[in-house]
Amino acid sequence: MDTLMSELPLARFTVERAAQLRSNPEWFEQAWASDNTRVLVLHERNIPVTDELSIVWVKPWSLKMTPSQAKEAALLLGADSDHTYLAIMKDEVGLSDVNWASLRDVGSQLSATDVGLATAAVALTTWHDGHQFCPRCGQATAIAMAGWSRLCPQDEIEQYPRTEPAMIVAVEDLAGRILLGRRLEWPEGWLSTLAGFVEAGESCEAAVIREVFEESGIHVDLQSLKYMGSQPWPFPASLMLAYRAVATSTEVDMQDDEMTEVQWFTREALAAACTSETLKLPSPVSIAFRLIQSWYGEDIPIQWCRN
Ligand SMILES: [Zn+2]
């Protein structure tokens, strides 16, 4: 794979998820009683970090909560030979003197171990928040499988965390220019590669062709599509699937109202616009940044990016 697309910030991990433990009825009691268990407390989906940007992991006994309270809020993130890692979806458990940071802001600076666990924790927590009721009968559901599903007590329907595939693409024309656009809700000067959700019954490649046309009026050659990698983006539930593609047309003609501007940039024009601060590129934590950098061909200065 293209080296500029490897080690995507939120795709990094070192700890295995230990899925075999999820169905063990004793998993929580064993983990909560162990001195080798490390707990990540989440506060409104933010994570506690030190000034040096590593996660503040705490021991179960240090938290102001009973085991039964903890069991209703505990997510099993994974385990390695030294530790079992949990997340707790509960505020006010006695964690003070920490900085609360969003994964989006600090994800690219966390270690691979921390970011892999934190990304799972943020994705799971967000899903639990939005899926408290059974989709069939409306009953309140209960946490199950160590936080990896929710169960309806009425009809035993089990729900699993949703991941929504979205494509993102660096479209180039035959002259080597890149196509960047600004979404309606973004401030002036914020541009990025085109992106959009894969629709029901659609392949990711078909979504690339469709979204690029809808957002820009540009036609993309299906045969030119090159898969570049993926990264979870749990804001709230996306999996970003990245491509590069070559356009067969160059005239911009936006078909929908998702974008306010779409433009072609040469490398020189991009550098000039970024240097004069009329253009801000996506944050280094995003796969969009890495796609643009992959097209640009060398490291992009961090000052060119929004943070
Ligand atoms: Zn139900």
Side-chain angles (χ1 to χ4, degrees):
M1 194 178 288
D2 189 326
T3 51
L4 286 169
M5 292 298 287
S6 64
E7 293 282 299
L8 288 160
L10 302 189
R12 296 172 295 145
F13 72 99
T14 63
V15 176
E16 288 181 15
R17 293 188 166 203
Q20 76 283 359
L21 289 177
R22 295 173 192 168
S23 54
N24 177 344
E26 302 296 316
W27 84 269
F28 174 79
E29 283 73 14
Q30 287 171 3
W32 202 251
S34 168
D35 204 40
N36 293 324
T37 293
R38 305 174 82 189
V39 182
L40 168 59
V41 176
L42 288 126
H43 172 68
E44 293 172 354
R45 293 171 207 166
N46 290 325
I47 51 177
V49 291
T50 64
D51 290 341
E52 292 75 36
L53 296 183
S54 55
I55 287 180
V56 179
W57 293 97
V58 295
K59 302 214 168 170
W61 53 260
S62 72
L63 296 172
K64 288 183 189 148
M65 62 196 314
T66 64
S68 60
Q69 287 172 326
K71 192 173 183 177
E72 294 306 306
L75 314 170
L76 175 62
L77 301 177
D80 58 23
S81 53
D82 298 323
H83 300 288
T84 300
Y85 298 88
L86 309 187
I88 288 284
M89 306 185 285
K90 204 166 173 62
D91 300 346
E92 295 162 20
V93 289
L95 206 58
S96 55
D97 295 330
V98 297
N99 312 306
W100 294 101
S102 85
L103 182 63
R104 225 171 164 140
D105 291 341
V106 300
S108 61
Q109 295 157 79
L110 294 175
S111 71
T113 298
D114 277 358
V115 82
L117 295 162
T119 303
V122 169
L124 272 180
T125 307
T126 306
W127 175 74
H128 281 284
D129 280 352
H131 293 80
Q132 299 280 311
F133 299 95
C134 175
R136 179 175 291 180
C137 74
Q139 279 260 353
T141 52
I143 193 166
M145 291 293 279
W148 290 88
S149 74
R150 297 192 69 86
L151 194 60
C152 174
Q154 181 78 22
D155 50 29
E156 298 189 337
I157 296 277
E158 199 167 10
Q159 282 184 276
Y160 300 95
R162 290 277 308 269
T163 295
E164 292 161 2
M167 74 79 205
I168 183 159
V169 59
V171 178
E172 267 177 80
D173 70 3
L174 293 171
R177 298 181 300 173
I178 193 171
L179 190 64
L180 299 179
R182 173 157 74 97
R183 303 192 76 82
L184 203 57
E185 63 273 21
W186 287 354
E188 202 168 328
W190 283 28
L191 273 80
S192 186
T193 47
L194 305 188
F197 287 108
V198 179
E199 291 189 341
E202 184 178 48
S203 74
C204 197
E205 292 73 19
V208 172
I209 307 289
R210 177 182 54 76
E211 283 282 353
V212 170
F213 181 73
E214 286 174 5
E215 294 184 353
S216 69
I218 299 291
H219 294 279
V220 159
D221 175 9
L222 177 62
Q223 302 305 319
S224 75
L225 256 58
K226 187 177 169 200
Y227 176 68
M228 301 296 288
S230 72
Q231 148 158 293
W233 194 246
F235 315 109
S238 299
L239 173 66
M240 304 304 300
L241 299 147
Y243 291 83
R244 289 182 65 168
V246 177
T248 56
S249 66
T250 56
E251 192 189 339
V252 172
D253 177 18
M254 291 175 278
Q255 306 291 305
D256 61 18
D257 53 7
E258 276 183 52
M259 313 296 281
T260 53
E261 58 176 298
V262 176
Q263 295 183 49
W264 291 104
F265 286 87
T266 62
R267 286 170 182 79
E268 296 72 27
L270 183 96
C274 288
T275 307
S276 67
E277 297 190 0
T278 53
L279 168 56
K280 278 280 184 195
L281 295 177
S283 156
V285 75
S286 67
I287 202 166
F289 169 80
R290 299 291 283 270
L291 265 179
I292 294 168
Q293 188 166 259
S294 146
W295 162 81
Y296 192 68
E298 55 188 273
D299 284 353
I300 284 179
I302 199 151
Q303 303 90 300
W304 292 7
C305 302
R306 44 214 203 228
N307 44 29

